[in-house]
Amino acid sequence: MHQRAYKGQCAAEEVRHTSARAPIRNPRLALLALALGTFAIGTGEFGSNGVIQLFAADLHIAIPVATYAVTAYAVGVVIGSPAIILLGARVNRRTLLLGLIVLFLVGNVLSALAPNIALLVAFRFITGSVQGAFFGAGAVVAAYVYGPGRSGTAFATVMGGLTVATIVGSPLSTFIGQSVGWRAMYWTVVAIGLVAGAALVAWLPRTSDLRGNSITNELGALRRVDVWLMVTVAALGISSIFAVYTFIGPFITDAALRDASLVPIALAVFGVGMGVGNYYGGRVADRHESRGLVWGYGGVLVLLVLIGVGGSNLTILLPCLFGVGATMMFAIPTIQVRLTALSPDAPTLMGALNLAALNLANSFGAIGGAITLDAGWGPLSTVWAGFALTTAGLLLFLVTSTRGKSLSHSTRTTQPTLR
């Protein structure tokens, strides 16, 4: 998914290292360490959605209130990650990544110990602030480790950790949460994070070549209107994936009237769909500037209607869950290609903004779904919130795509060429 999305970003990073340098020892291990980090982060993010009913019951709150924890995580990515990137603009990227994984561990330990929803919300915000910064700094390190001409593929592999988290990490952690308690889910994430942290310490290269970037370059992206337009398109459109994923538990138990043991299976089905969409969406994004987004958004709108009308039938719900994951992931590479092409000179911040857009979508989807549930419209009503938000995102994209296409093209013509 991210091979082309981060290509411009990686190209800009390669220009910083045109001088000869010693070969990196065990580059695949360095890449694996980064992938373990994204796997841990993804497991924690999506695993929270899988146990939302459990901590709602344990903390004696309604599910709409419990979604505040999911929203807080997303807000942490949107606000906290860019702030960390700017504050640490000149910090060596290896040092920054190690600091981020420590903050990730602290946030999840505190989440596991949270005695009430107010503190859980605060701790999820802290944890969320790590995500975008880690992915952005990881893009820079992956570009350096694999060198000219291979950095896009390298970072695609790193981001594979997030996809694996949706297929394996999230269902497994949800199963553990159901079996032992929701707090055990966060302890599982801590254990994975410790392994990832040890790998980062052992395998990331120690070099001054991974020095930070100029804060002026990073801030330059924030002055570009088209960057914010694409962030808005992503935040609105992708929100439907979270209006579904966040509420898979109630879909299974309250709408389809099945046992909660099916929730991890439904999460895995959704994750497999994301993996399929990830693969084909990346290929389409390489060839077409907007087709992946239009097809993805249009496809998910059809699937949302099917869930809203017939989702109480498991034979309809499960294929549609697969389809929602696939169609949304089909759209995401196109979003990231267009967004990153607008500002490849701010590599770490653009990586953070990519994730900020998706987590703002997480917040919108969770809030929209909570509103429909709180209104008493039924467990499947969350899909209609997603339908409205994705429709708004698609319309905004169609209105602004001509401008975005023109400026995106002019930006790419001035980008450095991958060697």
Side-chain angles (χ1 to χ4, degrees):
M1 162 171 109
H2 298 268
Q3 177 173 348
R4 172 90 185 277
Y6 282 89
K7 187 184 250 184
Q9 182 175 324
C10 291
E13 183 60 22
E14 286 169 6
V15 169
R16 299 178 63 212
H17 304 298
T18 53
S19 59
R21 60 174 173 83
I24 301 299
R25 181 179 298 177
N26 296 323
R28 288 180 178 150
L29 291 179
L31 198 64
L32 176 60
L34 293 169
L36 284 172
T38 60
F39 175 74
I41 290 171
T43 298
E45 178 188 11
F46 293 110
S48 293
N49 295 351
V51 297
I52 192 169
Q53 289 175 293
L54 300 178
F55 69 74
D58 186 53
L59 299 177
H60 308 292
I61 55 176
I63 289 179
V65 177
T67 60
Y68 295 163
V70 175
T71 301
Y73 184 96
V75 174
V77 180
V78 174
I79 297 176
S81 284
I84 288 174
I85 290 299
L86 294 176
L87 290 173
R90 294 190 176 278
V91 176
N92 184 286
R93 278 2 189 182
R94 181 182 188 275
T95 303
L96 180 60
L97 285 168
L98 294 178
L100 288 169
I101 203 69
V102 170
L103 184 59
F104 172 78
L105 291 169
V106 170
N108 280 289
V109 167
L110 292 175
S111 296
L113 298 174
N116 55 58
I117 186 61
L119 286 176
L120 181 60
V121 165
F123 299 151
R124 296 317 293 161
F125 175 88
I126 292 171
T127 311
S129 66
V130 171
Q131 182 169 325
F134 188 96
F135 285 28
V140 172
V141 175
Y144 174 79
V145 167
Y146 263 57
R150 302 180 66 193
S151 51
T153 301
F155 195 69
T157 304
V158 172
M159 294 303 295
L162 185 62
T163 302
V164 173
T166 65
I167 299 172
V168 178
S170 173
L172 179 60
S173 64
T174 299
F175 174 76
I176 291 173
Q178 290 177 335
S179 303
V180 186
W182 65 272
R183 297 179 191 278
M185 189 280 295
Y186 287 118
W187 288 119
T188 301
V189 173
V190 169
I192 298 171
L194 286 171
V195 173
L200 291 169
V201 170
W203 296 332
L204 287 188
R206 294 176 172 83
T207 172
S208 61
D209 286 340
L210 291 176
R211 63 191 178 279
N213 195 8
S214 166
I215 192 171
T216 302
N217 288 346
E218 301 284 356
L219 285 171
L222 302 180
R223 295 192 294 267
R224 294 166 185 159
V225 174
D226 291 273
V227 168
W228 294 112
L229 285 173
M230 188 51 57
V231 167
T232 304
V233 167
L236 290 172
I238 302 299
S239 60
S240 60
I241 199 174
F242 297 104
V244 172
Y245 193 90
T246 304
F247 304 99
I248 284 179
F251 286 0
I252 295 295
T253 59
D254 299 341
L257 302 178
R258 299 303 180 96
D259 190 83
S261 61
L262 286 177
V263 174
I265 296 175
L267 291 171
V269 168
F270 196 97
V272 172
M274 292 179 70
V276 172
N278 172 42
Y279 176 75
Y280 288 104
R283 298 182 70 177
V284 170
D286 281 338
R287 295 169 174 81
H288 306 284
E289 288 196 343
S290 58
R291 190 173 297 176
L293 187 147
V294 174
W295 287 2
Y297 279 19
V300 81
L301 291 176
V302 174
L303 291 163
L304 292 174
V305 171
L306 291 175
I307 294 176
V309 173
S312 58
N313 186 328
L314 204 63
T315 60
I316 294 176
L317 179 61
L318 289 180
C320 285
L321 290 179
F322 174 91
V324 171
T327 50
M328 281 289 86
M329 291 300 287
F330 189 82
I332 288 172
T334 297
I335 293 171
Q336 292 174 332
V337 166
R338 294 176 69 96
L339 178 60
T340 308
L342 291 170
S343 190
D345 54 330
T348 311
L349 182 59
M350 289 308 297
L353 282 180
N354 282 339
L355 270 296
L358 300 186
N359 280 272
L360 192 57
N362 190 344
S363 178
F364 286 167
I367 291 173
I371 290 172
T372 65
L373 288 177
D374 202 37
W377 295 346
L380 295 176
S381 64
T382 64
V383 301
W384 300 115
F387 185 92
L389 290 164
T390 297
T391 298
L394 179 58
L395 290 175
L396 177 62
F397 179 74
L398 294 175
V399 169
T400 61
S401 60
T402 301
R403 166 189 167 90
K405 180 177 180 180
S406 173
L407 290 181
S408 176
H409 174 74
S410 64
T411 302
R412 278 195 295 270
T413 59
T414 62
Q415 288 177 14
T417 302
L418 284 171
R419 288 185 289 265

